[in-house]
Amino acid sequence: MFCGKCGKKINKGESFCTRCGSHVKTEDIAITAQPFTEKRSIPQSTQAEKSASIYKDVRRRPVRKILIGAITFGVCALTLILIFILTSGPVRIPGAVQICAGPGESLYSYDKAPGGYNVALKSDGTVVTVGANPGDKYTSSWGEHEIPDLSDWKDIVFIASDYNYYDFTGRGQTDIRLVGVKSDGMVVCEGCDEHTANILSRWRNIDSVSLSFGVIIGIKSDGTIVLSYNPYEELWDGKYGNVSEWSNIIDVYVDMMDIYGLKENGTVVTVGANDTIAALENRREERQREWTDIVAISSGLWIKADGTVIGKPDWHNIKSVYRFHNFDAGIKRDGTVVIYQKDGTGSLDVSEWKDIISLSTKLNGIVGLTADGTILEAYPGGVKPTEPPYSGAVQTAPPS
């Protein structure tokens, strides 16, 4: 027994607390333990139902949350995978029928052009950029520039681009120029200086154009040709020939001081330094015998009607060829591509490419356009460079 006031233990027989002096009441309480005789039973069915209900309630909520979480995670993961595939895989441009190097100022020095993007001609006559957006900025040795907006190009039927690394005009052009032929026979240009653009604006009835060594040549529907300027008037309009009098021309090519014209009958006419030498050495007839059954010459690689290419004995069934700075490429009639490497920069693996309809260059590599509009790329040694080196493409394809 303990004091109710201070809690001190009270010995038996004591009436007062020896600590605080409080009076302590003592009572004898008898507690008798009675055996429990009442028997209560719970129906087995009710007990089982309650147990099952409790089990289901406890188990249902976590499982439902786990399922919802798993489904949400799966949807998010699938979305991220799809985004990665769509953004990291090949670009596809529905309706694209031709691809060229994109126009722009040179980077770093005269022999290095942007080369970091391309332009594609679509079947609806519009031209779009590939690998860059209009308005994107880049810096060259000439200052800051931006990717051009080609949204106003309409009704285009053919495009051509070339690196103008021979500046005969003295106007400081060291860039890639893009020229487009419209369905009405007029010509538009991006990257041309004001003088050249003014000349091109006066051209009419143009079927196609060729860009070689800084010269833009227009082939008219009547088979005659026009030049953006004539760098060698004494050679090209002189004793051994006059390009202004050429007729029945369907394709042209300029090689430094020489100009070549492909006629409808598959023969080739030429004037220039080499032609002058050939005439002096009486080799013209011998050369003309080899230049027969030609169907395209505008890249400097000449395709014959049987699909062979002059100077490429291992190439067969070729329908179009392209000459780039460090390699030559040909599209075969089955849509595959063959490559001739000019230097030791590393091989270009295009062995898996199929259904190719057009080629261009990008960052020292090769860009292919498939029939469904997919853009494929290959680089020397399989490694994409980070600095844009020389770029530009000259195409030879049988004139349509």
Side-chain angles (χ1 to χ4, degrees):
M1 185 170 56
F2 297 88
C3 175
K5 187 174 182 181
C6 67
K8 185 180 183 301
K9 185 177 180 180
I10 305 299
N11 296 323
K12 188 176 181 179
E14 293 178 345
S15 300
F16 295 91
C17 176
T18 57
R19 175 184 294 172
C20 64
S22 299
H23 180 71
V24 178
K25 294 182 178 180
T26 59
E27 295 182 358
D28 294 329
I29 301 175
I31 300 176
T32 304
Q34 299 291 333
F36 180 75
T37 57
E38 181 180 2
K39 185 176 181 180
R40 299 178 63 187
S41 63
I42 301 175
Q44 293 298 319
S45 60
T46 303
Q47 187 174 3
E49 290 175 0
K50 288 184 177 181
S51 299
S53 176
I54 294 172
Y55 175 79
K56 289 180 180 179
D57 187 59
V58 171
R59 295 285 294 177
R60 186 184 297 118
R61 282 178 286 182
V63 170
R64 186 179 297 149
K65 291 181 179 179
I66 292 173
L67 288 176
I68 293 173
I71 293 172
T72 303
F73 176 80
V75 170
C76 293
L78 182 60
T79 302
L80 291 175
I81 292 172
L82 290 174
I83 292 174
F84 176 78
I85 293 174
L86 292 174
T87 55
S88 62
V91 176
R92 185 171 178 269
I93 304 176
V97 295
Q98 189 186 354
I99 192 166
C100 285
E105 296 289 339
S106 62
L107 291 180
Y108 308 111
S109 61
Y110 76 95
D111 63 344
K112 291 184 178 180
Y117 78 105
N118 297 92
V119 293
L121 170 64
K122 301 181 67 175
S123 57
D124 62 2
T126 59
V127 178
V128 297
T129 58
V130 183
N133 298 314
D136 286 352
K137 306 287 185 180
Y138 66 92
T139 302
S140 75
S141 55
W142 301 95
E144 188 176 85
H145 312 280
E146 65 179 43
I147 303 299
D149 183 2
L150 303 174
S151 60
D152 59 341
W153 283 32
K154 309 291 183 183
D155 303 318
I156 306 297
V157 296
F158 180 80
I159 57 175
S161 67
D162 186 27
Y163 183 49
N164 186 27
Y165 49 94
Y166 283 91
D167 180 21
F168 297 110
T169 67
R171 283 184 286 273
Q173 283 182 259
T174 53
D175 58 3
I176 293 178
R177 297 177 297 178
L178 176 70
V179 178
V181 179
K182 303 185 70 172
S183 59
D184 61 4
M186 298 184 68
V187 175
V188 291
C189 180
E190 180 64 45
C192 292
D193 62 274
E194 185 178 352
H195 176 76
T196 302
N198 185 46
I199 292 174
L200 299 184
S201 67
R202 297 195 296 268
W203 286 5
R204 297 292 185 274
N205 303 316
I206 303 297
D207 279 348
S208 65
V209 292
S210 176
L211 284 69
S212 301
F213 285 86
V215 183
I216 302 173
I217 308 152
I219 304 173
K220 304 186 71 171
S221 56
D222 62 1
T224 60
I225 67 171
V226 288
L227 308 176
S228 60
Y229 67 98
N230 189 336
Y232 301 109
E233 292 186 12
E234 293 182 1
L235 287 172
W236 293 4
D237 288 311
K239 179 180 178 180
Y240 296 103
N242 191 330
V243 295
S244 61
E245 296 178 356
W246 283 1
S247 61
N248 302 317
I249 301 298
I250 60 173
D251 203 6
V252 289
Y253 171 65
V254 172
D255 183 11
M256 288 294 290
M257 299 172 69
D258 296 272
I259 183 170
Y260 301 84
L262 173 63
K263 298 176 73 72
E264 290 179 346
N265 62 5
T267 61
V268 177
V269 292
T270 179
V271 294
N274 289 334
D275 187 65
T276 302
I277 295 172
L280 293 173
E281 296 178 354
N282 297 316
R283 289 188 291 107
R284 266 186 169 176
E285 292 184 3
E286 177 186 348
R287 186 176 59 183
Q288 291 292 343
R289 282 195 297 270
E290 183 184 11
W291 295 348
T292 57
D293 298 322
I294 308 297
V295 295
I297 66 171
S298 62
S299 74
L301 296 173
W302 298 2
I303 308 174
K304 304 196 74 170
D306 61 1
T308 59
V309 178
I310 294 178
K312 306 290 184 189
D314 297 331
W315 287 15
H316 303 281
N317 300 315
I318 302 297
K319 70 176 182 179
S320 61
V321 292
Y322 300 76
R323 172 165 282 181
F324 302 107
H325 177 61
N326 58 333
F327 61 91
D328 297 332
I331 300 178
K332 303 185 72 172
R333 291 169 179 170
D334 62 2
T336 57
V337 176
V338 291
I339 299 287
Y340 171 75
Q341 204 79 19
K342 299 178 184 177
D343 54 30
T345 56
S347 61
L348 294 165
D349 185 7
V350 294
S351 58
E352 300 296 325
W353 287 16
K354 298 178 180 179
D355 302 321
I356 302 298
I357 60 173
S358 182
L359 294 173
S360 183
T361 185
K362 176 181 178 182
L363 297 177
N364 229 26
I366 187 171
V367 178
L369 173 66
T370 68
D372 67 356
T374 301
I375 307 296
L376 304 176
E377 299 179 2
Y379 298 95
V383 179
K384 183 176 181 178
T386 56
E387 179 179 317
Y390 169 93
S391 181
V394 182
Q395 174 188 6
T396 291
S400 56

